[in-house]
Amino acid sequence: MWVFALSSLRAGLRSHSFLLLLVLGCLGMGLVLFVGLFSSRHLQTVQLDVGLSVIRAVSILMVLFWVQDLLGRDVERKAILFSLAYPVPRSDLLFGRYLGVLILAALGIAALTALLFIALSIGKQDYVQPWPSNTGLPMVVTLVYFWIELALVAAVATALAAISTTPFLPFALGGLFAICAKSIGPILDYVRLSEKSDPLLYERMHDSLTMIHRFLPDTSRLDFRAAALYNQPLDSVLMFQALLMAVAYIVILLGLASAYFDRREFA
């Protein structure tokens, strides 16, 4: 498994994908500086919020691209047959590729975070806001849970790549999963709890949203950026529950993907 993980890491670093990651990151951090020009209050909070959103969006795109490139395209081009010639279980190949993508994702988050801190340091250095953001431990926790969300998205894309005959399908459906899983919790809370929610909308959508929520993981629970943005205390119970949810879905997805991949015919 580690052989395939290291080969995936080398392939990802040698390709143009990491350069694309840095280019997108630089553009995103340029947006952080641009936002700072028009923000007269709580500048650091606004810039940090935009920067974290850029890190999450760019990282998800790159994770989906890496899964498609390292696994989906190998299946399409039949290059995977050379890897399957090794006297190891097929699951080692699947888990190795997945682990390689996670290592690349960690390196990508580290690179984008470095760009974010550079952008924050270039901003209005003489501005001191009354309630400063916390870029210490809460920032680290936020980034770690970003990485856990990427691991969940990568598991979905890997499972799709294991069963798909179309290389673009993991990228497309993986992106759709990332959007829906992030949105389902806030949408359901709005329908249930908001005073502005239309009662007719509640009657029409509540049952279907609840059904979707039972099967789709709520990745908004993995977002702890409020602790870094507003220096709020971290809730260890919520953190553990969110981690348990993500790990459970990852184990189930990879287990099902491995079971199918071991029996798949590559003609």
Side-chain angles (χ1 to χ4, degrees), residues 65-76:
F65 174 81
W66 283 323
V67 172
Q68 175 188 343
D69 191 54
L70 298 174
L71 191 58
R73 291 190 184 279
D74 276 1
V75 173
E76 180 196 23

Side-chain angles (χ1 to χ4, degrees), residues 143-164:
L143 294 173
V144 169
Y145 274 81
F146 272 3
W147 181 79
I148 294 172
E149 182 183 358
L150 294 179
L152 179 55
V153 174
V156 172
T158 300
L160 290 170
I163 65 176
S164 174

Side-chain angles (χ1 to χ4, degrees), residues 102-170:
L102 294 191
I103 297 173
L104 287 169
L107 294 176
I109 288 179
L112 292 173
T113 303
L115 292 175
L116 174 58
F117 277 106
I118 292 174
L120 292 176
S121 65
I122 297 175
K124 297 178 181 178
Q125 301 178 2
D126 57 341
Y127 177 82
V128 179
Q129 63 185 45
W131 298 279
S133 302
N134 191 337
T135 54
L137 179 61
M139 180 72 170
V140 174
V141 171
T142 300
L143 294 173
V144 169
Y145 274 81
F146 272 3
W147 181 79
I148 294 172
E149 182 183 358
L150 294 179
L152 179 55
V153 174
V156 172
T158 300
L160 290 170
I163 65 176
S164 174
T165 57
T166 304
F168 188 71
L169 187 65

Side-chain angles (χ1 to χ4, degrees), residues 188 202-214:
L188 193 57
Y202 178 87
E203 294 179 1
R204 290 181 176 179
M205 298 187 62
H206 180 264
D207 292 340
S208 58
L209 288 175
T210 302
M211 181 63 67
I212 295 173
H213 193 241
R214 289 176 180 174

Side-chain angles (χ1 to χ4, degrees), residues 8 12 44 50 56 60 71 104 123 129 150 161 164 167 192 194 214 259 263:
S8 299
Q44 186 183 22
V50 174
R56 178 184 176 273
I60 287 177
L71 191 58
L104 287 169
Q129 63 185 45
L150 294 179
S164 174
R192 284 176 175 174
S194 177
R214 289 176 180 174
R263 295 168 176 78

